[in-house]
Amino acid sequence: MIGVFDSGLGGLSVLAALVQALPQADFRYYADTAHVPYGNKSDEQIQRRVLAIGGELAGMGCDLLVVACNTATAAAVQALRAAHPSIPVVGVEPGIKPAAQETRSGRIAVLATESTAKSARLHKLIRDHADGIDVHVEPCPGWATHVEMLQLDDPALASDIARRVEPLLAQGVDRIVLGCTHYSFLAPLLNQVIGGRARLVDVADAVARQARRLSDHLPHGGGRLHLHASAHPERLYAALPRLNLGHLAPRVA
Ligand code: DGL
């Protein structure tokens, strides 16, 4: 059984890739909807939530954990690994490395929550994998909350996306890293602004491949999905079709 969690709906983008890579596995998805968003919280607050959820999922029999949240990974993946040394933990980090390898202009940007944008982990990732590349880090407060409220048609969101992304394109950025799992659901809106001038970089498939490697030894499941949320669990199921993930609904146990 694979436990996957996020502050809310964002990690469902990673879950979709995991289900595709491991169709026979059983999953538990936990959305911390009582505490979303994480992006404006302190590292200590995020660590407390990550340890509580990781403990709960381990207690429910999960033998592999996927932290489907860049913010939680940056603030707390080390603490989670230390708390559960016998359980493999896969984190999600912005795709700086693929973006730096693929860019032609030598200019890339990362869209992230405020917490991830200022995290030591992101800045180390940039130092380690984007030597000689111009990396612009753009914090995007409020975007995850729009996804969470399923307010994807809100004109205020569309104009904030344009306001943040247009200047990046004007500077010649040709790879834009989705540094928050919620932003995968904003890809259509982002691509409307980008209009072919840059490519989005999403690591969901790479995370799923890593989880598949680490799950080799796990017993096969029945392809079931258990949904949990710290508030309004019913909204999680209802959100699936709204996020174009209706194909996951028949798996829900
Ligand atoms: N989905 C999360 C991430 O990847 C966090 C969004 C939030 O709760 O602020 O960063």
Side-chain angles (χ1 to χ4, degrees), residues 40-103:
N40 59 5
K41 298 204 166 47
S42 69
D43 284 4
E44 292 70 30
Q45 286 172 305
I46 298 167
Q47 274 171 21
R48 265 202 301 280
R49 291 309 304 151
V50 166
L51 291 175
I53 296 166
E56 208 171 315
L57 288 170
M60 290 190 286
C62 293
D63 28 30
L64 171 66
L65 294 175
V66 179
V67 185
C69 174
N70 294 261
T71 308
T73 300
V77 77
Q78 277 174 330
L80 184 63
R81 287 195 173 116
H84 299 280
S86 61
I87 299 183
V89 175
V90 180
V92 175
E93 292 192 290
I96 299 294
K97 190 176 175 184
Q101 285 169 346
E102 290 168 14
T103 178

Side-chain angles (χ1 to χ4, degrees), residues 155-238:
L157 173 64
S159 71
D160 196 49
I161 287 178
R163 187 175 70 80
R164 291 184 188 280
V165 171
E166 278 295 355
L168 305 176
L169 299 167
Q171 286 162 30
V173 162
D174 68 352
R175 293 294 181 278
I176 298 181
V177 179
L178 300 177
C180 168
T181 54
H182 281 75
Y183 302 170
S184 299
F185 297 115
L186 300 178
L189 284 172
L190 283 159
N191 277 324
Q192 261 172 35
V193 173
I194 292 169
R197 289 175 284 172
R199 277 206 204 139
L200 296 176
V201 177
D202 192 332
V203 296
D205 289 333
V207 169
R209 285 195 296 276
Q210 170 71 354
R212 189 170 54 196
R213 279 192 287 275
L214 291 175
S215 69
D216 264 359
H217 65 290
L218 301 183
H220 278 290
R224 276 181 293 271
L225 170 60
H226 303 266
L227 297 176
H228 306 267
S230 49
H232 306 297
E234 71 289 350
R235 285 196 201 152
L236 200 51
Y237 185 78

Side-chain angles (χ1 to χ4, degrees), residues 38-40 71 111-118 138-141 144 179-180 183:
Y38 283 175
N40 59 5
T71 308
L111 309 175
T113 65
E114 297 129 286
S115 173
T116 301
K118 58 179 190 236
E138 180 73 21
C140 305
C180 168
Y183 302 170

